[in-house]
Amino acid sequence: MTFILISNDDGIHADGLTPLVDAIQSQAQVKVVVPLENCSGASNKLTLDRPLIPKQLPNGYYAVPGTPTDCVYLACQGFFDDEPSFVVSGINRGANLGDDVLYSGTVAAAIEGRFLRKSAIAISLNGHQHYETAAEVARYLFMHWLDFSIPQPCVLNINVPDVPLDNIQGFEVTRLGRRQKAEKVIPHKNPRGEFGYWIGHAGIGIEEPGTDFHAIAHNKVSLTPIGTDMTLHSVLPSMNVLQRHLDQHFQSLHLT
């Protein structure tokens, strides 16, 4: 019997996990495979230097001493007798807007589902209070997913305003926005007198119309379809010119 896989990057003790499980299991059978510890910022890291030993908790959840990508890979590649039909990642504590998706373990878990030919959503809350709002959004989207002609497999990056459900102003299909340059590293001295550095805060989001930042600023749920093709297609014609130049130069070297 197929099932819905739920994972995250905030770990087994994440505040957003149980609200998401409660919302989705009202619609389908659910299995939970999440990191044992917080893996925020892990991106698509895959553990290759040691075996992974999942631990099943009394509530049936599986905690994996690894990354979000590890969790989804395990669940889709033989850990269970059956494969999941859908991957839901979240609810993340904090938004994943714009370039955040490059670092996000929440988005990475969904992308791993897509690599394994599963449809997937990543859902994040723009804060850490109203998880019930994000859970209801996830339930609603999952309930209506098959009603729409969305190409499969698809990764949908969802960001939810951190407000009560009644304050949500609707949904908006968006593109990834941009942030201003991140702040500089923060020097730190530990009790042993050793100097190190904290990563600085992310840059402020630029609220351009049509972007995920703009939607969130107006209390709308942002829906951004994302892919994994990082080819910069607009540059390919210029690169073809460069290729011909390099080929001619390379051939002239061998003809002399």
Side-chain angles (χ1 to χ4, degrees):
M1 179 178 180
T2 60
F3 60 93
I4 308 305
L5 173 67
I6 290 182
S7 194
N8 69 11
D9 75 348
D10 288 332
I12 191 66
H13 300 296
D15 292 333
L17 180 57
T18 297
L20 180 61
V21 172
D22 291 343
I24 299 300
Q25 71 181 5
S26 69
Q27 306 295 318
Q29 181 187 12
V30 165
K31 292 185 181 181
V32 177
V33 184
V34 295
L36 180 62
E37 299 178 348
N38 190 312
C39 291
S40 296
S43 188
N44 298 89
K45 180 181 178 182
L46 192 64
T47 300
L48 301 175
D49 60 348
R50 56 183 171 82
L52 299 169
I53 305 176
K55 177 182 179 181
Q56 187 173 24
L57 305 184
N59 61 3
Y61 296 0
Y62 286 92
V64 178
T67 68
T69 299
D70 292 333
C71 293
V72 177
Y73 185 92
L74 282 173
C76 294
Q77 293 288 83
F79 181 65
F80 296 112
D81 292 336
D82 298 313
E83 293 186 8
S85 58
F86 201 95
V87 177
V88 181
S89 180
I91 300 168
N92 192 64
R93 177 187 172 100
N96 279 303
L97 302 163
D99 291 340
D100 298 347
V101 300
L102 297 174
Y103 305 98
S104 169
T106 302
V107 176
I111 288 177
E112 185 64 16
R114 183 264 178 194
F115 279 149
L116 299 171
R117 302 296 184 264
K118 311 298 179 184
S119 294
I121 62 175
I123 184 163
S124 303
L125 180 67
N126 188 37
H128 54 85
Q129 294 184 349
H130 298 282
Y131 288 103
E132 71 282 356
T133 299
E136 180 61 18
V137 166
R139 186 194 68 79
Y140 183 78
L141 282 168
F142 179 76
M143 182 172 61
H144 292 282
W145 185 266
L146 296 179
D147 295 340
F148 304 99
S149 299
I150 301 175
Q152 307 300 320
C154 172
V155 175
L156 190 62
N157 187 42
I158 304 165
N159 283 280
V160 182
D162 191 17
V163 297
L165 187 62
D166 290 344
N167 291 354
I168 295 292
Q169 299 301 305
F171 294 77
E172 183 174 346
V173 176
T174 61
R175 67 182 187 275
L176 294 177
R178 299 177 297 124
R179 290 187 182 276
Q180 297 178 2
K181 185 178 179 180
E183 296 181 8
K184 293 184 177 181
V185 295
I186 304 168
H188 172 79
K189 182 179 180 180
N190 69 21
R192 294 187 176 88
E194 299 169 323
F195 280 94
Y197 299 89
W198 286 101
I199 297 295
H201 291 293
I204 297 173
I206 301 173
E207 295 178 15
E208 296 176 329
T211 66
D212 44 10
F213 287 106
H214 188 268
I216 285 292
H218 290 79
N219 277 353
K220 291 185 177 181
V221 176
S222 170
L223 309 175
T224 310
I226 59 175
T228 55
D229 181 0
M230 298 183 70
T231 306
L232 191 57
H233 292 273
S234 62
V235 178
L236 285 177
S238 298
M239 293 299 296
N240 289 333
V241 174
L242 174 61
Q243 174 195 319
R244 289 193 293 270
H245 175 77
L246 292 173
D247 280 343
Q248 291 172 0
H249 183 68
F250 182 76
Q251 291 172 6
S252 68
L253 290 175
H254 287 272
L255 292 175
T256 57

